[in-house]
Amino acid sequence: MNAKSKGRWNIVIEVIMILLALLFLSPFYFLLANSVKSFGEILSNAASWPQEFMWSNYSNAWKLARFSEAFRNSFIVTVISVILISLFSAMAAYRMVRANTRFNQVLLLLFVAAMVVPFQTIMIPILKVVNIVGVNNSFAGLIITNLGISVPMAIFLFHGFIKSVPLEIEEAATVDGCNPISAFFRIVLPLLKPMLMTIIVLNALGIWNDYLLPSLILQAPELRTIPLATFSFFGQYTKQWDMALPALTLGVAPIVIFYLFMQRYIVEGIAAGSVKG
Amino acid sequence: MRGNKLSQFGQQLFFVGPALLFFTLITIIPFLMGMYYSFTDWNGVSGNVSWVGISNFTSIFTNDPDFWSSFWFTVRFTVLGVVLTNVVGFFLAYLLTKPLKTRNMLRTIFFMPNVIGGLLLGFIWQFIFIKGFATMGDITGWSFFNLPWLGDATTGFWAIVMVFVWQSSGYLMVIYIASLSNVSKEVLEAAEIDGASRMQVLRNIIIPLIMPAVTIGLFLAISWSFKMFDLNLSLTKGGPFKSTESVAMNIYNEAFLNNRYGLGTAKALLFFVIVALITVIQVRVTKSKEVEA
């Protein structure tokens, strides 16, 4: 095929893909356009551009859904969980690579096997454990559970990555008087940055969006994360779309903004994670 | 020598300790407890837990039509979901590795539904199926839009499939893009010079070379659709008449709505065995089809 017809073919593909992308985006149009309409206008025509913008829908939903509280809760849980997951997994994987004992080999196998266990299989006894430890209905309980569930995958990914990190730099640091712990934090951890970013974004997305686990552990309304707040708000205002849609938009906005800023890392992270996984 | 051994133990404790502690507490212990509880009549509330042998399992196999109908729903959903998300994901990737001007923007858009949680997506689509489709039906007059999307067992099933494909193909697209961009240009050019058609190149060169990505794409799609919970919860609540209830949802309801924790853990254990079996077989089969370039 010659270059000219190849170029023309690419334009055809481009047009088709743009149309497809618009179709893909159309749910967001319905969401945004209707979130600022009056209830009557939503019922009479859900496809039209809003006649007048009812911004008060947003302030009503913000207050009634206790959105600032939900946002803060989601933020606290996600940030602390993600920091601890990345730190503890990096540490464990580092040690498991550098001290390749029989024990650590078995441990790696156990982590890999655990990745096949569906959450539903362990969720019922997890609640019992959380109760025994005394951290039910608390952020601590949710964070600990997030850690226990997410650590295997993170360790597996770090393990593959650390194997390719050369030993010489650490040895030089040890000769210069670094102990293993400071060598890890000052030399190795910075070298892990690409994989660290992957683990951070993948876990941040997963934990921010999680509904099932927080719904089982957090009962107090003031502890609700965004998915929980949205769920209970929807239960109260079913079919009251002028309330429900702005609340949904508010719930979706933070993660979409996060995505637009971090998309390079998210996309690279998925690609990197999948090659190893 | 002794001091060195101690410091090795100290290092093991310091580095591996925290991760191992939480992993044991949240995955290992609950898994073992689940095995125990699946042979009991535990109701989640009372302290009295008595051993009932295999009666939970016999009742699942002989006397639980709801579990098997949710299982059948999950199987049908998984087959369709896995095929459609992978086909759509692959073709998006295939076309978006061509030199298009808007390529990066398009990739960003197709991936976007994926960053939003299933629960919120389900609610957004609930509005679209109820109000958006009705309006589109009025405007276009197409009967497609006027189907009872969430009110009927068949259309409800397809509604969930549709949203799932919309949500998940972007993720698989990213994986296929990564894999496609590793296919060597020389091989493709050589094939073109030899006069191979587009379809021949696709079938005989590209697809065999990206089999590792296919392995992963199938694996992910299988585990997502098998474990699906959020999407049906917010879209249909498993209705109408439990027709869109997934296995994950059935387990949840058994434990937390019916307060039969023992029976719930038995189902959960059975679920684990099935998921593990299917994923192991799938990975074995597709891995055997992988080739070296």
Side-chain angles (χ1 to χ4, degrees), chain A residues 1 17 22 58 64 73 85-86 88 109-110 119 121 130-131 147 160 164 177 192 223 242 253 258:
Chain A
M1 200 180 292
M17 292 304 270
L22 290 175
Y58 275 88
L64 284 168
N73 294 344
I85 290 167
S86 353
F88 291 161
L109 218 66
L110 214 57
F119 174 68
T121 300
V130 166
N131 271 316
L147 276 171
S164 66
L192 301 183
L223 295 183
D242 57 332
F258 176 79

Side-chain angles (χ1 to χ4, degrees), chain A residues 74-272:
Chain A
S74 279
F75 190 79
I76 293 173
V77 169
T78 308
V79 169
I80 298 180
S81 303
V82 167
I83 290 176
L84 294 182
I85 290 167
S86 353
L87 187 65
F88 291 161
S89 309
M91 284 161 55
Y94 168 69
R95 172 73 192 174
M96 289 165 72
V97 172
R98 293 295 183 244
N100 193 18
T101 58
R102 182 65 61 81
F103 178 82
N104 283 337
Q105 288 169 4
V106 172
L107 200 57
L108 183 67
L109 218 66
L110 214 57
F111 285 130
V112 173
M115 296 193 305
V116 192
V117 178
F119 174 68
Q120 280 81 8
T121 300
I122 50 174
M123 75 179 170
I124 301 168
I126 279 180
L127 294 184
K128 178 98 178 169
V129 170
V130 166
N131 271 316
I132 293 172
V133 180
V135 287
N136 58 317
N137 197 20
S138 73
F139 288 159
L142 183 54
I143 290 166
I144 288 173
T145 323
N146 280 333
L147 276 171
I149 290 171
S150 308
V151 145
M153 172 83 169
I155 289 183
F156 180 65
L157 291 176
F158 273 129
H159 197 275
F161 188 83
I162 293 171
K163 274 195 276 187
S164 66
V165 174
L167 197 61
E168 285 79 14
I169 315 173
E170 286 160 58
E171 281 171 344
T174 322
V175 170
D176 290 346
C178 258
N179 68 32
I181 290 170
S182 64
F184 172 76
F185 282 101
R186 288 162 62 180
I187 315 286
V188 180
L189 203 55
L191 292 174
L192 301 183
K193 200 191 157 208
M195 191 43 84
L196 204 58
M197 289 307 288
T198 302
I199 310 268
I200 289 173
V201 289
L202 292 182
N203 280 296
L205 289 175
I207 290 170
W208 182 276
N209 286 327
D210 191 17
Y211 167 77
L212 183 52
L213 180 59
S215 81
L216 294 172
I217 290 187
L218 306 173
Q219 287 91 35
E222 67 272 13
L223 295 183
R224 278 177 192 149
T225 58
I226 285 180
L228 297 186
T230 314
F231 187 77
S232 93
F233 191 76
F234 229 85
Q236 282 175 57
Y237 297 95
T238 322
K239 309 292 179 309
Q240 256 182 279
W241 300 113
D242 57 332
M243 294 288 238
L245 295 178
L248 274 179
T249 312
L250 290 170
V252 166
I255 199 77
V256 171
I257 293 168
F258 176 79
Y259 165 57
L260 293 178
F261 277 101
M262 302 292 283
Q263 59 163 310
R264 189 170 79 87
Y265 295 107
I266 293 173
V267 166
E268 278 174 9
I270 288 168

Side-chain angles (χ1 to χ4, degrees), chain A residues 1 14 24 34 43 45-46 91-92 95 104 120-121 124-125 128 148 209 211 227 230 255 259 263 270 274, chain B residues 8 11-12 14-15 27 30 33 37 101-102 108 111 115 117 119-120 127 131 135 166 198 216 233 248 261 268:
Chain A
M1 200 180 292
E14 184 141 23
F24 239 73
N34 288 294
L43 290 189
N45 190 347
M91 284 161 55
R95 172 73 192 174
N104 283 337
Q120 280 81 8
T121 300
I124 301 168
K128 178 98 178 169
N209 286 327
Y211 167 77
T230 314
I255 199 77
Y259 165 57
Q263 59 163 310
I270 288 168
S274 70
Chain B
Q8 281 297 321
Q11 279 185 53
Q12 177 80 11
F14 176 81
F15 283 108
T27 305
M33 279 166 80
Y37 280 125
K101 285 193 190 67
T102 52
T108 304
F111 185 76
V115 297
L119 190 89
L120 295 171
F127 173 73
K131 288 307 304 169
T135 309
W166 175 74
R198 252 170 223 284
I216 296 151
L233 181 70
Y261 281 53

Side-chain angles (χ1 to χ4, degrees), chain B residues 105-201:
Chain B
M105 203 178 70
L106 290 168
R107 289 179 182 183
T108 304
I109 291 172
F110 288 121
F111 185 76
M112 192 141 87
N114 223 282
V115 297
I116 304 167
L119 190 89
L120 295 171
L121 288 182
F123 283 136
I124 295 173
W125 275 91
Q126 199 192 87
F127 173 73
I128 290 166
F129 282 124
I130 292 171
K131 288 307 304 169
F133 272 28
T135 309
M136 295 308 289
D138 290 343
I139 295 171
T140 58
W142 293 351
S143 57
F144 170 82
F145 287 118
N146 290 322
L147 294 170
W149 277 102
L150 300 178
D152 173 273
T154 313
T155 47
F157 174 78
W158 285 102
I160 298 176
V161 170
M162 208 189 298
V163 178
F164 180 75
V165 173
W166 175 74
Q167 178 194 14
S168 311
S169 9
Y171 196 103
L172 299 177
M173 171 193 79
V174 167
I175 292 172
Y176 285 122
I177 285 177
S179 182
L180 283 169
S181 34
N182 281 335
V183 173
S184 103
K185 291 270 177 302
E186 286 92 57
V187 176
L188 296 179
E189 272 164 22
E192 202 175 317
I193 290 165
D194 289 347
S197 73
R198 252 170 223 284
M199 277 318 282
Q200 279 173 326
V201 173

